[in-house]
């Protein structure tokens, strides 16, 4: 299938972060894009403003007429999150439409263009967007498919300049549902392989094998940048000619040194066997984000980017929505929101906040995501949340899952050793925080806790005044 010869692409589940990036890609190519999603959102509204036809009722008659009546050179892109009884999904299947999952379409794009793929159970969104920004801000012609909205470009898709010829594709390689096994990377980054998505993989060993299979997809003359602890957990790559370089804050061939936590940034030195760059400033705080910067800098150097351009790229990198996003920062009041939803992500985030604001009381509000993840990592959640002085738990956000008997927020509470801990409802949370007046407040989770961000911001600003 030649993607550029399509006259229409219809998306089932267009509002997802990955699906919407693909929709924007086809729209940029001048192909008519339409789609269904269950509920409107800021993202779907943005797609509509960009000229895409979106509806929110799952009905065959809402599929555009040209799609329904002209199957030739029409593509249906769908997500497994679509219900099996979906009217539109079943219509397209019964009528024999050309149908592809998002991951397959992304794989088709990467098969025809040089590709940098960033994988990992955490850190991949920040790292891939950092790679994209360092390259683009230095004049490299790139296209980027990202798993979050970049603050620099206000989008999950960075478009290339077709007049300059073929672009280099930067893509976030998602391990969920083994989606990353459809990609064709020339360069890959693996940031972490901590157990996750055990509802998909069954156990940690199967997940590790999935990452090893991803590495085996790298082209024979390709490069792999891999976090040193992750490398130790995986089997040796099948490709003997693959250039493997390990990195880490304090291990591997590529390291960070002299790390300083500042109130709104981190300073560090980039140290490698081929080049040292001293006194870099990363405007997105966090020890883990310094580590994420190491492969991004290395890839920039591979592309011939000069030290001063790298220095400026890191300084101007503004991060990704809901990744260490500082909403309020005053002397007596700080509020930060983060997507952290895995124990190791929470540990890295809270440790960094502690380093930035030593001596201040840290209040953490956490909304667990998925019943299975909460069950599988309960003790890990309790341990890392205990880094805060006070922990407030919301109930589990179920996402795609049905409840599991006995799995709830309360199962985390007992193991938390913080001096103060409680479970609050979303409805009661603002009143509770107003009464307790936190100094440094953080919210964490991958569910709908982000809908409270503006209310939290206003609360903390009132507290400042």
């Amino acid at each position: 299938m030649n993607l550029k010869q399509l006259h229409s692409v219809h998306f089932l589940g267009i509002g997802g972060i990955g699906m919407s990036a693909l929709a924007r890609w086809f729209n940029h190519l001048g192909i008519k894009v339409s789609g269904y999603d269950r509920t409107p959102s800021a993202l779907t509204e943005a797609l509509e403003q960009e000229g895409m036809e979106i509806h929110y009722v799952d009905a065959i008659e809402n599929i555009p007429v040209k799609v329904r009546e002209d199957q030739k050179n029409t593509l249906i892109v769908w997500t497994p999150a679509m219900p099996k009884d979906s009217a539109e999904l079943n219509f397209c299947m019964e009528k024999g439409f050309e149908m592809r999952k998002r991951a397959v379409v992304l794989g088709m794009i990467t098969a025809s263009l040089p590709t940098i793929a960033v994988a990992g159970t955490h850190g991949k969104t920040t790292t891939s967007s950092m790679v994209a920004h360092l390259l683009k801000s230095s004049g490299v012609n790139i296209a980027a498919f990202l798993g979050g909205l970049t603050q620099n470009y206000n989008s999950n898709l960075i478009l290339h300049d077709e007049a300059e010829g073929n672009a280099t594709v930067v893509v976030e390689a998602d391990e969920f549902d083994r989606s990353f096994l459809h990609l064709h990377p020339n360069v890959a980054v693996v940031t972490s392989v901590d157990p996750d998505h055990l509802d998909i993989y069954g156990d940690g060993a199967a997940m590790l094998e999935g990452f090893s299979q991803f590495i085996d997809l790298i082209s024979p003359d390709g490069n792999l940048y891999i976090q040193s602890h992750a490398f130790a957990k995986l089997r040796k790559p099948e490709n003997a000619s693959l250039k493997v370089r390990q990195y880490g804050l304090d291990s591997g061939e590529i390291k960070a040194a002299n790390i300083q936590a500042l109130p709104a940034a981190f300073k560090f030195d980039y140290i490698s066997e081929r080049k040292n760059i001293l006194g870099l400033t990363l405007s997105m705080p966090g020890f883990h984000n310094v580590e994420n910067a190491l492969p991004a800098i290395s890839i920039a150097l591979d592309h011939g980017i000069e030290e001063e351009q790298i220095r400026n790229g890191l300084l101007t990198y503004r991060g990704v929505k809901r990744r260490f996003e500082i909403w309020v920062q005053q002397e007596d009041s700080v509020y930060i929101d983060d997507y952290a939803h895995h124990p190791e992500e929470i540990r890295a985030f809270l440790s960094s906040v502690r380093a930035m604001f030593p001596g201040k009381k840290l209040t953490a509000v956490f909304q667990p995501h998925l019943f299975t993840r909460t069950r599988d990592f309960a003790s890990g959640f309790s341990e890392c949340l205990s880094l805060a002085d006070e922990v407030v738990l919301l109930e589990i956000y179920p996402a795609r899952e049905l409840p599991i008997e006995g799995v709830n927020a309360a199962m985390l509470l007992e193991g938390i050793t913080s001096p103060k801990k409680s479970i609050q409802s979303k409805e009661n949370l603002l009143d509770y925080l107003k009464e307790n007046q936190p100094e440094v407040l953080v919210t964490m989770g991958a569910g709908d806790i982000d809908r409270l961000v503006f209310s939290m911001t206003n609360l903390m600003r009132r507290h400042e005044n």
Side-chain angles (χ1 to χ4, degrees), residues 26-322:
F26 284 112
N27 194 53
H28 171 66
L29 295 179
I31 297 168
K32 185 67 177 174
V33 174
S34 57
Y36 158 79
D37 209 87
R38 190 162 55 101
T39 54
S41 66
L43 190 48
T44 58
E45 288 171 10
L47 299 182
E48 290 185 83
Q49 290 170 7
E50 293 167 24
M52 299 175 226
E53 186 180 329
I54 301 175
H55 57 271
Y56 304 96
V57 176
D58 180 14
I60 296 169
E61 58 269 24
N62 288 335
I63 301 174
V65 173
K66 186 168 181 60
V67 172
R68 275 185 280 150
E69 296 183 354
D70 187 1
Q71 293 183 24
K72 187 177 180 182
N73 291 324
T74 296
L75 175 65
I76 309 297
V77 184
W78 65 287
T79 167
M82 285 292 292
K84 292 181 180 179
D85 61 353
S86 161
E88 294 186 37
L89 178 64
N90 284 293
F91 171 80
C92 293
M93 287 180 170
E94 290 166 5
K95 293 296 182 182
F97 278 86
E98 195 77 42
M99 300 184 69
R100 296 285 187 275
K101 290 183 182 179
R102 178 193 67 88
V104 175
V105 178
L106 197 54
M108 294 166 72
I109 294 171
T110 63
S112 60
L113 294 168
T115 297
I116 301 166
V118 181
T121 46
H122 18 266
K124 57 183 174 288
T125 301
T126 298
T127 305
S128 56
S129 64
M130 210 180 284
V131 170
H133 179 64
L134 288 184
L135 296 182
K136 186 171 180 63
S137 65
S138 301
V140 178
N141 189 28
I142 66 152
F145 295 86
L146 307 170
L149 297 175
T150 61
Q151 302 279 23
N152 290 84
Y153 308 98
N154 195 33
S155 180
N156 52 352
L157 173 69
I158 300 174
L159 292 167
H160 64 293
D161 185 346
E162 289 203 48
E164 293 185 20
N166 279 349
T168 294
V169 174
V170 180
V171 60
E172 179 171 328
D174 190 1
E175 76 279 2
F176 177 74
D177 201 27
R178 296 178 171 84
S179 294
F180 59 179
L181 299 184
H182 294 282
L183 300 176
H184 302 270
N186 303 92
V187 177
V189 178
V190 175
T191 62
S192 54
V193 292
D194 295 312
D196 200 5
H197 302 303
L198 300 187
D199 55 325
I200 299 295
Y201 287 94
D203 57 34
M207 192 205 72
L208 292 176
E209 178 56 25
F211 275 96
S212 292
Q213 290 171 4
F214 166 72
I215 289 171
D216 291 337
L217 296 174
I218 304 171
S219 60
D221 58 346
N223 292 302
L224 169 65
Y225 291 94
I226 182 167
Q227 204 275 346
S228 57
H229 300 303
F231 184 74
K233 296 176 184 177
L234 300 178
R235 62 169 168 78
K236 186 177 179 181
E238 291 181 357
N239 178 7
S241 62
L242 182 67
K243 301 179 191 70
V244 180
R245 301 179 74 204
Q246 299 180 49
Y247 69 90
L249 288 182
D250 53 10
S251 61
E253 303 148 70
I254 302 166
K255 302 181 181 69
N258 299 318
I259 303 172
Q260 302 174 55
L262 306 176
F266 270 50
K267 294 192 75 170
F268 68 100
D269 299 335
Y270 169 88
I271 308 296
S272 75
E273 74 283 7
R274 61 175 173 172
K275 188 173 183 66
N276 295 343
I277 308 177
L278 308 182
L280 293 166
T281 299
L282 178 62
S283 298
M284 184 182 188
F287 291 106
H288 53 303
N289 291 321
V290 170
E291 186 169 73
N292 292 334
L294 298 178
I297 294 169
S298 302
I299 290 170
L301 290 170
D302 290 342
H303 282 76
I305 294 173
E306 299 293 332
E307 177 179 322
E308 202 53 41
Q309 292 174 301
I310 291 172
R311 192 178 297 278
N312 183 66
L314 286 180
L315 190 62
T316 58
Y317 175 71
R318 292 169 52 202
V320 182
K321 291 289 291 180
R322 300 215 62 230

